[in-house]
Amino acid sequence: DTGVSQNPRHKITKRGQNVTFRCDPISEHNRLYWYRQTLGQGPEFLTYFQNEAQLEKSRLLSDRFSAERPKGSFSTLEIQRTEQGDSAMYLCASSLQGGNTEAFFGQGTRLTVV
Amino acid sequence: EDQVTQSPEALRLQEGESSSLNCSYTVSGLRGLFWYRQDPGKGPEFLFTLYSAGEEKEKERLKATLTKKESFLHITAPKPEDSATYLCAVHDYGQNFVFGPGTRLSVLP
């Protein structure tokens, strides 16, 4: 399978715990994006990387969220001290660098904070 | 600030009943407009990219068009398997993709 892969698919955690999600992009894609989606809404931008450099972060992204992309390959998104409001689908997408190229999404990680 | 709105919020069609979905956008510098399909519990699936006003793209029963302020996704003779949420997104010079809220389409047999 050469698509974007996300793990785990589902995560249930208790409030206050830390969680980490992983994204493996399409191998030749050097751009990687993280989005969050709640029920009935479109995906909301969180952050994006070009190779290993994190180039943009949403103003909505609290300090409890951190993302890394070591070596410009896979990426991780960590949420510290989870809150019930963090419950959402976390989507990863990748694309080629350059002007007008589409992004391809993974199947997402569904986070439930109880 | 870039904005994308979509209408209607939800649409119910009978099988074979053609219709159109609308995506209106405000963006500082459009580098591309994208349509995605999303099934429940899954990630968005790429459908089309449009780059300039007047451009059209087709795939099976779907046809996407673009003007300077909006895009339409026309669905001709839809089938129940076309039921999904259709998302529109713009890619601006800020490098990220801004999504609309989507249109939930239900096609009844």
Side-chain angles (χ1 to χ4, degrees):
Chain A
D1 185 7
T2 57
V4 178
S5 177
Q6 291 189 247
N7 288 288
R9 290 295 310 278
H10 304 275
K11 178 72 176 177
I12 300 174
T13 190
K14 292 184 178 179
R15 191 173 52 186
Q17 297 293 307
N18 299 344
V19 294
T20 300
F21 311 139
R22 177 179 171 125
C23 172
D24 288 272
I26 294 171
S27 58
E28 61 267 30
H29 286 182
N30 50 12
R31 284 195 176 164
L32 187 148
Y33 304 82
W34 285 100
Y35 283 81
R36 176 171 62 190
Q37 187 177 29
T38 54
L39 201 61
Q41 302 298 315
E44 174 188 39
F45 171 74
L46 294 178
T47 188
Y48 98 93
F49 293 83
Q50 183 164 300
N51 299 313
E52 65 275 9
Q54 188 173 20
L55 296 188
E56 189 174 346
K57 288 174 64 173
S58 168
R59 293 188 300 273
L60 304 174
L61 202 64
S62 86
D63 291 342
R64 296 184 297 106
F65 287 70
S66 63
E68 294 183 343
R69 193 182 182 197
K71 302 179 183 178
S73 55
F74 72 92
S75 176
T76 58
L77 177 69
E78 181 183 17
I79 309 174
Q80 295 181 326
R81 304 181 302 283
T82 52
E83 302 172 356
Q84 286 190 320
D86 297 330
S87 296
M89 174 78 90
Y90 289 83
L91 294 164
C92 175
S94 69
S95 73
L96 289 168
Q97 182 179 347
N100 310 324
T101 56
E102 53 273 5
F104 293 89
F105 282 82
Q107 293 303 299
T109 294
R110 167 75 63 189
L111 173 66
T112 302
V113 182
V114 297
Chain B
E1 183 175 325
D2 300 341
Q3 287 193 327
V4 179
T5 59
Q6 293 187 245
S7 62
E9 183 177 324
L11 181 62
R12 298 182 73 171
L13 300 173
Q14 290 296 132
E15 184 172 2
E17 180 186 1
S18 301
S19 188
S20 296
L21 314 182
N22 175 266
C23 169
S24 296
Y25 63 90
T26 304
V27 65
S28 55
L30 183 70
R31 301 189 76 177
L33 184 140
F34 306 85
W35 282 97
Y36 288 84
R37 170 193 169 127
Q38 187 174 28
D39 293 304
K42 297 191 175 181
E45 174 189 346
F46 171 72
L47 292 174
F48 302 110
T49 308
L50 300 166
Y51 298 116
S52 57
E55 189 174 359
E56 299 182 351
K57 293 273 180 75
E58 285 190 65
K59 179 180 180 180
E60 295 181 353
R61 296 177 291 283
L62 300 177
K63 178 180 175 181
T65 62
L66 181 65
T67 72
K68 288 186 178 180
K69 294 184 177 180
E70 57 190 350
S71 177
F72 292 93
L73 185 65
H74 307 278
I75 303 176
T76 302
K79 298 181 178 181
E81 53 261 41
D82 294 323
S83 298
T85 295
Y86 290 85
L87 296 164
C88 168
V90 295
H91 191 196
D92 66 3
Y93 288 103
Q95 302 299 324
N96 87 69
F97 295 83
V98 178
F99 281 84
T103 293
R104 292 191 310 279
L105 174 66
S106 300
V107 182
L108 307 176

